[in-house]
Amino acid sequence: MPEIQRLDSIPIVFSTTLDATYGLQGGFPIHDLSRPEVVRSSDGAEQTQIRYVNGESSLDEIKLNPFLFSLPSAPQAKEFFRAIQKWEGYVLDVGRDLFRARLVSIVGEGPDQEAEIYLEEVDPDDQELVQPGAVFYWTIGYLDRPSGRLRGSILRFRRLPALSEPELETARREAEKLEGLFE
Amino acid sequence: MSKLSSTLSPPASNELEISIFGPGYGESILLHIGNSEWILIDSCVEPNSGEPAALHYLTQIGVDVESAVKLIVATHWHDDHVGGLSKVVDKCTSANVALSGALSIKEFLTLVAVHRHRAIATTSSLKELAAVLHTLEERGKKGKRAVVDRQLHQSRIPLSSGVAEAKIFSVSPSDGSLQQATLAFTQLLRDSDKVLRSPTPNHAAVVLWVEVGRHVMLLGADLECTADSNRGWLAILNDSTVIAAREQKAKIFKVAHHGAKSAHEPRVWNDIISPEPIAVLTPFARGNISLPTVGDKNRIKNLTPSAFITAAPREHEHTWRNRVVRDLVNEATRSIRDVHSGWGHVRVRQTIEDPQDNWRTELFGDAVPLDEVA
């Protein structure tokens, strides 16, 4: 596995979309979603490209091959969301007004839980992703701003890009090696 | 039968033990086949310690898991059977590891390879299985493919009166089930941009036939029935040479798939299980599915008076410590409940050289006889 070159790291700053997509823990600056970002692995051969469209927070394209990434520099956040409870969830079934989900706490309290969550809690951009098996991240916490503190709930669904043929070919070669693990 | 709360003691060297652990969602089984040799089947997490249930129990009774666990079996790829499995494999350094043959076919391993390099859910059962394979890679130790009629373990257990043979066979999945699994995994690879879900129903789970001396157990995993005689329980009954050559019927039955009707095959109870066996099952609660149903419980109770469940299915509301979390959760949800609403352990022991069936059943935690379930 190649090491990842941290282009210009900053402490605990992740974007909403990355946080939702990859389940990273920690807070994120609310206003820092429009910057194009590039991450490069140290061997130069593998690159991860992450592109945002028109400054919107949705993740348009990810080519993540392989493994780890860090984020380039960003201005210090003036608004900061501090999670006091965060779950990784996956959808069990979907009804007309709500969906049922299994929740596993990854920040904060609690055993595994099962909840019926109102669909209106889901970002409009994510509504199409609400289907059985889909993974999401639900964060509850405080938004600290210069003008004061707000409490809030953010629920974002993970997006998966389709496999590229090179990715699939790499996986097949690795699978052949894994086959050798069995008698 | 006794109801114990906390007193735990290891089995004697000449005692056979089966321990079945289960919260509302999860299942794990431990076998002591004598002479301090343990077999571990599937894994779930003990909710209070957060540790794999089997490891938690073995540690409590003073067993050295590094040397005493001889075989670990992963029966199938479902979330409720693999919780903490990678930790179990990591800790039990001398154990052989057997995976369902379905989990060793190339299409499944390609899925593993794909998702090694993609961010997948922290709780993903695929992630657990990928970690198990990684441990095998690091150890340079070959895993076993558990398929129909494969002997996974054999021991000679020294007793005061001689030696007992202990043999553990997988009697599924069948060739037909493996073919179906291959197709299902291929489809998952094609749908790589869609959500990843383990295929259901599961006809590729590993059913184990356990013989220790003259005592026999049948561990049904989550294997279900199908009209196709080449798959599921019918394939075992029709094609398994281990089952065909059996000399005894099973006195202990770990009921398949949480007692669900979809896993009930009357010929299993009639042909390969003793009349009125000791039957043990674990509950399953997810979404709008709660097993066993009332019908399942009545059916099993009619088949044996000695049926036990590791915890009665029930709902449990969470008490929030943080006021902000409580308020926002209540605004966003119609209902929320703890999944691990109960935790129990059914333990059954029998002296190996005793020719009679003198099985002793002990219940821990929330485990109860099935006829006490409302």
Side-chain angles (χ1 to χ4, degrees), chain A residues 151-166:
Chain A
R151 62 184 196 177
S153 163
I154 298 175
L155 197 154
R156 296 304 303 266
F157 275 72
R158 190 185 62 180
R159 292 169 186 270
L160 280 177
L163 273 179
S164 66
E165 192 52 41

Side-chain angles (χ1 to χ4, degrees), chain B residues 59-288:
Chain B
T59 303
Q60 279 188 313
I61 62 173
V63 172
D64 175 14
V65 299
E66 284 193 22
S67 60
V69 178
K70 303 300 181 188
L71 174 69
I72 298 165
V73 182
T75 65
H76 64 294
W77 171 28
H78 273 176
D79 290 359
D80 60 323
H81 287 252
V82 300
L85 185 67
S86 59
K87 188 168 187 176
V88 166
V89 172
D90 187 53
K91 296 285 184 188
C92 301
T93 51
S94 61
N96 287 312
V97 177
L99 273 63
S100 165
L103 306 183
S104 66
I105 57 183
K106 188 175 176 183
E107 286 74 10
F108 177 78
L109 298 173
T110 305
L111 274 173
V112 170
V114 165
H115 290 277
R116 270 182 171 181
H117 303 315
R118 286 186 155 197
I120 59 174
T122 308
T123 53
S124 166
S125 50
L126 192 63
K127 194 170 185 173
E128 282 286 345
L129 292 167
V132 168
L133 294 173
H134 181 65
T135 302
L136 291 179
E137 268 181 319
E138 284 190 331
R139 281 186 194 152
K141 191 169 183 176
K142 298 278 188 184
K144 293 173 181 282
R145 287 186 173 94
V147 293
V148 61
D149 295 337
R150 174 87 194 269
Q151 183 171 298
L152 300 177
H153 184 80
Q154 181 174 22
S155 291
R156 290 170 61 81
I157 307 299
L159 303 170
S160 58
S161 56
V163 172
E165 289 280 343
K167 295 178 182 175
I168 298 172
F169 298 94
S170 51
V171 294
S172 69
S174 64
D175 291 345
S177 297
L178 292 175
Q179 286 171 7
Q180 186 203 34
T182 303
L183 293 175
F185 297 144
T186 302
Q187 189 62 45
L188 287 176
L189 283 167
R190 286 199 193 108
D191 295 340
S192 62
D193 57 336
K194 298 194 173 78
V195 294
L196 180 67
R197 308 180 74 191
S198 48
T200 56
N202 196 320
H203 299 308
V206 178
V207 171
L208 295 171
W209 182 261
V210 179
E211 300 175 349
V212 182
R214 60 169 298 279
H215 305 290
V216 180
M217 298 184 237
L218 179 65
L219 311 181
D222 270 6
L223 192 70
E224 296 184 73
C225 302
T226 165
D228 182 351
S229 62
N230 294 314
R231 295 187 283 130
W233 279 104
L234 285 180
I236 292 178
L237 293 164
N238 294 338
D239 300 333
S240 167
T241 55
V242 169
I243 295 299
R246 70 191 181 279
E247 295 178 356
Q248 305 279 345
K249 289 185 174 183
K251 183 63 183 175
I252 305 285
F253 182 36
K254 201 296 290 179
V255 181
H257 197 27
H258 317 283
K261 187 180 180 182
S262 63
H264 176 72
E265 169 51 56
R267 281 180 56 200
V268 171
W269 290 81
N270 293 333
D271 296 355
I272 61 176
I273 299 176
S274 295
E276 300 191 348
I278 296 172
V280 185
L281 61 154
T282 59
F284 177 92
R286 196 177 83 162
N288 56 1

Side-chain angles (χ1 to χ4, degrees), chain A residues 22 67 88 112 114 116 161 180-181, chain B residues 117-119 122 142-143 287 335:
Chain A
Y22 295 105
F67 309 108
E88 180 177 85
D112 290 3
E114 208 166 279
E116 292 177 301
L181 291 175
Chain B
H117 303 315
R118 286 186 155 197
T122 308
K142 298 278 188 184
S335 69

Side-chain angles (χ1 to χ4, degrees), chain A residues 2-134:
Chain A
E3 294 180 3
I4 297 300
Q5 177 186 354
R6 186 170 284 269
L7 298 176
D8 187 5
S9 62
I10 53 173
I12 58 166
V13 177
F14 298 107
S15 77
T16 307
T17 306
L18 286 173
D19 192 56
T21 305
Y22 295 105
L24 302 172
Q25 296 179 21
F28 47 83
I30 295 299
H31 65 76
D32 190 40
L33 300 173
S34 62
R35 298 170 60 82
E37 297 168 335
V38 177
V39 175
R40 183 180 304 127
S41 59
S42 64
D43 62 2
E46 304 284 356
Q47 289 192 345
T48 298
Q49 294 181 340
I50 301 171
R51 182 161 60 84
Y52 294 91
V53 175
N54 299 327
E56 293 177 5
S57 62
S58 60
L59 197 61
D60 178 66
E61 176 182 316
I62 298 175
K63 182 183 177 189
L64 187 62
N65 186 15
F67 309 108
L68 299 174
F69 58 87
S70 61
L71 297 176
S73 62
Q76 190 61 44
K78 292 177 182 171
E79 297 178 350
F80 196 83
F81 193 86
R82 184 171 69 85
I84 51 179
Q85 177 72 48
K86 181 171 182 176
W87 293 275
E88 180 177 85
Y90 64 89
V91 178
L92 300 171
D93 49 61
V94 184
R96 197 173 62 180
D97 302 322
L98 21 84
F99 65 98
R100 196 177 345 230
R102 174 63 57 95
L103 303 174
V104 178
S105 176
I106 51 180
V107 174
E109 66 177 273
D112 290 3
Q113 291 174 305
E114 208 166 279
E116 292 177 301
I117 302 172
Y118 293 109
L119 280 167
E120 64 189 21
E121 294 294 317
V122 179
D123 188 293
D125 288 345
D126 286 357
Q127 290 281 346
E128 65 181 20
L129 302 174
V130 185
Q131 56 178 298

